[in-house]
Amino acid sequence: MRFGLRGVTTNRWLRECGLPLGVSDVALIQNGDHHRYSGLSTCGSGWVCPVCSAKIRFRRADEISRAIARAIEAGFGAVFVTRTIPHTAEDELRTTLGGLTEGRAWASSQKMVKMARAEAGFLGCITAKEITRGNNGWHPHTHDVEVFREPVTPTAYGKLSTEYFDKLNAFYVRNGHKPMAKGIGVKLDIITRDSDALGRYLVKLQETGVGLGNEMARGDLKKGRKGSLMPFDIAAYFLRTRDADVLKLWHEYERETKGKSVIRFSKGLRAELLPDEPEASDADLAADGDDAGVEVGRLANWLYRRVVAIGLEAAVLRSLDTGGFGALTELLTAYHLDTTGLHGPTREIGSAGVDNSVG
Ligand SMILES: [Zn+2]
């Protein structure tokens, strides 16, 4: 997908994501049954890059689950809050995403919201923004985990629910958006040790990226079921059909998410919950995060650039995963690529009886 998007994206970082750094070779790293590259540039976009997004969201989800587990252990309260904005098929993403962002900020600054939060012992929140598209147009929404100094009582829950809804709704109406349906526009779900609210939240974080959830969403598409599309479903649909209207949607999504955070902790909350862990930026998370595995070979810079140019990046790794260096050599030869740029294996790999003379 990243190969396909390179040709049509308006994001210059995405165009360069996955290319070799400078003129150095690209290392092939084996970790268990899987291979990966090392020495590639990464764009670090959690919105538009299918590769970086998956890594960022996967690693943030892990970070968040540890933070919330710590909060629950410490006896804090935690509430899962979803906020949406009413929309029609004609609404531009700029309008609804902007309305949601401004509405959230405005509501948080209101005295009644501040009072309800203060009474409940509000510590901060972790916010994940999500954008999907359905028959009714763009559907931007946010998923927060709000953390409180103590477990949230039914009274506090009631006040928070009322104030969050009323203030956000008042902002929408005053700014020309449609009013929200009661009980639907804002939803609060208390997270306890036993509730599945957190699990659902973490699954959502990962579904927004590319992964199993995305594969399942695409499965739905094929069966013609109704449902909302994840942004990468839109990209995949365009790459299959080359439909210009769909590309317009993708470009609108690129434009409106540019420079916006995907998931973030409010000020001070991360330090409170994960004091011993240094904070990593999206770019850090997208870069080679782990040192696991051993280098089993290298592709010369020029050869890797040829591999990228014809969209074989994933196929190279798959061939190594399934058939080792023999399969990789076969693949490169089939595409008339010069295998003198393939070096390795630098040590015996797997059980396939690898030919060490390659390159
Ligand atoms: Zn990237």
Side-chain angles (χ1 to χ4, degrees):
M1 187 181 288
R2 184 175 62 183
F3 167 72
L5 286 174
R6 276 194 197 112
V8 295
T9 183
T10 58
N11 182 313
R12 74 185 179 94
W13 303 108
L14 175 55
R15 272 198 294 272
E16 289 174 16
C17 184
L19 298 184
L21 294 163
V23 295
S24 48
D25 289 353
V26 173
L28 300 164
I29 311 291
Q30 183 184 24
N31 185 14
D33 295 335
H34 293 281
H35 293 77
R36 63 181 169 85
Y37 298 113
S38 175
L40 302 180
S41 63
T42 43
C43 72
S45 169
W47 293 106
V48 300
C49 178
V51 178
C52 293
S53 163
K55 291 196 238 172
I56 292 167
R57 289 169 188 272
F58 181 81
R59 290 171 179 162
R60 285 278 180 242
D62 180 57
E63 179 184 28
I64 290 165
S65 64
R66 278 180 288 109
I68 303 306
R70 184 77 67 88
I72 303 284
E73 256 168 53
F76 293 164
V79 182
F80 180 50
V81 188
T82 300
R83 293 176 176 86
T84 58
I85 182 164
H87 55 83
T88 65
E90 287 73 40
D91 285 329
E92 290 184 5
L93 180 56
R94 175 189 299 262
T95 311
T96 49
L97 185 59
L100 174 63
T101 306
E102 286 166 36
R104 279 174 57 101
W106 185 83
S108 302
S109 72
Q110 295 309 295
K111 195 174 164 194
M112 295 301 281
V113 169
K114 284 183 167 174
M115 278 173 58
R117 281 183 164 176
E119 277 171 35
F122 184 70
L123 284 173
C125 59
I126 306 165
T127 306
K129 280 186 189 155
E130 190 175 304
I131 298 169
T132 57
R133 190 171 170 98
N135 292 332
N136 223 4
W138 292 109
H139 177 56
H141 48 290
T142 56
H143 299 294
D144 288 67
V145 174
E146 301 196 349
V147 182
F148 297 84
R149 180 74 59 196
E150 47 212 62
V152 175
T153 63
T155 312
Y157 174 86
K159 273 190 195 170
L160 289 168
S161 300
T162 304
E163 294 305 332
Y164 284 0
F165 180 90
D166 287 352
K167 296 302 176 283
L168 188 58
N169 196 45
F171 177 90
Y172 289 160
V173 171
R174 205 145 46 85
N175 288 276
H177 300 285
K178 283 206 295 291
M180 289 190 287
K182 201 120 199 163
I184 292 182
V186 178
K187 276 188 205 159
L188 280 75
D189 223 338
I190 291 183
I191 300 171
T192 62
R193 202 181 293 272
D194 308 316
S195 75
D196 60 352
L198 177 62
R200 287 202 307 272
Y201 175 74
L202 296 172
V203 166
K204 272 179 179 299
L205 289 184
Q206 296 180 33
E207 273 180 355
T208 323
V210 174
L212 185 61
N214 195 250
E215 291 296 327
M216 288 160 69
R218 255 182 265 161
D220 285 349
L221 255 185
K222 281 176 202 146
K223 285 168 208 145
R225 265 188 248 143
K226 278 188 188 171
S228 59
L229 300 181
M230 297 292 173
F232 289 122
D233 294 325
I234 296 174
Y237 185 82
F238 166 73
L239 293 173
R240 268 204 312 275
T241 63
R242 295 278 146 183
D243 183 327
D245 287 337
V246 176
L247 182 59
K248 247 188 242 170
L249 288 178
W250 174 258
H251 281 159
E252 183 181 4
Y253 169 77
E254 284 191 339
R255 201 165 55 236
E256 300 311 324
T257 54
K258 198 174 179 192
K260 295 189 169 75
S261 60
V262 179
I263 298 160
R264 67 186 190 89
F265 285 71
S266 64
K267 205 166 180 237
L269 183 65
R270 198 185 177 287
E272 170 103 30
L273 297 176
L274 299 172
D276 309 323
E277 283 183 36
E279 200 167 342
S281 68
D282 283 358
D284 295 337
L285 295 182
D288 282 340
D290 62 287
D291 305 323
V294 287
E295 182 179 320
V296 292
R298 296 188 150 253
L299 290 171
N301 190 283
W302 59 263
L303 178 57
Y304 188 71
R305 286 181 187 273
R306 297 288 307 280
V307 163
V308 169
I310 55 177
L312 287 182
E313 296 150 270
V316 162
L317 296 180
R318 265 198 308 274
S319 71
L320 279 173
D321 287 352
T322 53
F325 268 76
L328 175 54
T329 307
E330 234 171 76
L331 175 76
L332 297 177
T333 307
Y335 281 87
H336 307 291
L337 292 169
D338 183 353
T339 52
T340 56
L342 172 62
H343 307 292
T346 47
R347 57 188 276 184
E348 200 72 26
I349 54 167
S351 53
V354 177
D355 174 5
N356 279 292
S357 67
V358 177

